[in-house]
C-alpha cells in the first residue's frame, strides 16, 4: 500500500489551548482507517488540520508526498473529499440538483454525463424526489446524504468523513455501509466516528485519540 498522508510531530492549538499533541501517523491510499476517541479528544480538529482548514502550531503534514504548506485549499480539496461534522457547513447551493452538479459543471463535464452521474447519486442516496427541493428544506439525514453525494461526484482519491452516521436511521446507515463498501479498493477513507459498531464493521485499522494524543493505532 502506498502512503497517502503522513503526519509528523503535529501540535495544534485552538484559542491558545493545545488540542493536538505530537501526533505521528501514516495513512495509506485505499486503506480504511477510523479515528475514535471521546468527545473533545481532537478528532474533528485533526481532520481539519489535514485538510488545511485549521493551521497547525508545528509539525508537518504531507499529502501525496507534498507538504500541505505548499498546497492551496482547492488543491487539497481536489485530493481529499472532506465531510464536515455538520452538513450545514458543507451545503451551499440552493437546490439539491445544483449542489450535486456543481463540481461537474465546474469541470465543464458534458450535460449528458452530469445527468447520468447526478442521477446515479440521486438513486443511491434516495434523493430523487428532492431533486429540485431547496437545500434549506431538507432534514438532517437528507443533508448528510446530499453532502456525501456531492463529495463523491468530485472523484476524490481520499475521503475524510467526520461523523457521517449522525442523523441517519438504521436503514440509511446500512445504505451508507453499502456505499462505503463499494468504495473500498478505489479510495482511501479516514472515518472519524464515535459509532463503535460502524467503525468495527468497516475499518482496516483503528486509531484512538485521547486528550489530543494518539493512544492506540492497531489493525482491526
Ligand atoms: N473553535 C474552537 N475554539 C476553541 N476550542 C475548540 C474549538 N473547537 C474545538 N475546541 C476544543 O478542542 C478540543 C477538541 O475538539 P474536537 O476536535 O472537536 O474534538 P472531537 O471531534 O474529538 O469531539 C475540545 O476540547 C474542544 O472543546
Ligand atoms: Mg468531532
Amino acid at each position: 500500500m502506498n502512503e497517502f498522508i503522513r503526519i509528523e510531530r503535529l501540535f495544534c492549538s485552538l484559542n491558545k489551548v493545545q488540542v493536538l499533541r505530537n501526533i505521528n501517523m501514516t495513512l495509506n491510499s485505499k486503506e480504511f482507517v477510523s479515528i475514535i476517541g471521546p468527545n473533545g479528544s481532537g478528532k474533528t480538529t485533526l481532520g481539519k488540520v489535514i485538510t488545511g482548514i485549521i493551521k497547525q502550531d508545528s509539525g508537518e503534514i504531507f499529502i501525496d508526498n507534498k507538504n500541505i504548506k505548499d498546497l492551496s485549499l482547492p488543491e487539497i480539496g481536489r485530493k481529499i473529499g472532506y465531510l464536515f461534522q455538520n452538513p450545514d457547513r458543507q451545503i451551499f447551493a440552493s437546490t439539491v440538483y445544483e449542489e450535486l452538479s456543481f463540481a461537474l459543471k465546474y469541470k465543464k463535464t458534458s450535460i449528458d454525463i452530469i445527468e447520468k452521474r447526478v442521477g446515479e447519486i440521486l438513486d443511491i442516496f434516495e434523493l430523487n424526489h428532492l431533486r429540485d427541493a431547496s437545500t434549506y428544506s431538507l432534514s438532517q439525514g437528507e443533508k448528510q446524504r446530499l453532502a456525501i453525494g456531492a463529495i463523491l461526484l468530485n472523484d476524490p482519491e481520499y475521503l475524510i468523513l467526520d461523523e457521517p452516521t449522525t442523523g441517519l436511521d438504521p436503514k440509511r446507515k446500512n445504505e451508507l455501509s453499502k456505499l462505503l463498501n463499494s468504495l473500498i479498493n478505489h479510495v482511501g477513507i479516514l472515518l472519524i466516528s464515535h459509532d463503535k459498531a460502524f467503525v468495527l464493521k468497516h475499518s482496516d485499522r483503528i486509531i484512538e485519540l485521547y486528550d489530543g494524543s494518539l493512544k492506540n493505532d492497531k489493525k482491526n
Side-chain angles (χ1 to χ4, degrees), residues 38-45 85 162-163 192-194:
N39 231 337
S41 55
K43 306 182 296 296
T44 292
T45 306
Q85 184 160 3
D162 195 350
E163 305 285 0
I192 297 171
S193 182
H194 65 265

Side-chain angles (χ1 to χ4, degrees), residues 41-88:
S41 55
K43 306 182 296 296
T44 292
T45 306
L46 182 60
K48 287 184 177 173
V49 181
I50 294 173
T51 46
I53 298 167
I54 293 176
K55 293 269 173 283
Q56 70 266 42
D57 302 338
S58 62
E60 309 297 334
I61 299 170
F62 299 88
I63 298 174
D64 223 358
N65 284 315
K66 291 183 192 73
N67 195 315
I68 65 164
K69 285 173 183 160
D70 302 324
L71 296 172
S72 66
L73 280 180
E75 281 170 333
I76 297 172
R78 277 194 288 277
K79 291 180 176 293
I80 299 180
Y82 174 68
L83 178 76
F84 279 89
Q85 184 160 3
N86 177 356
D88 288 326

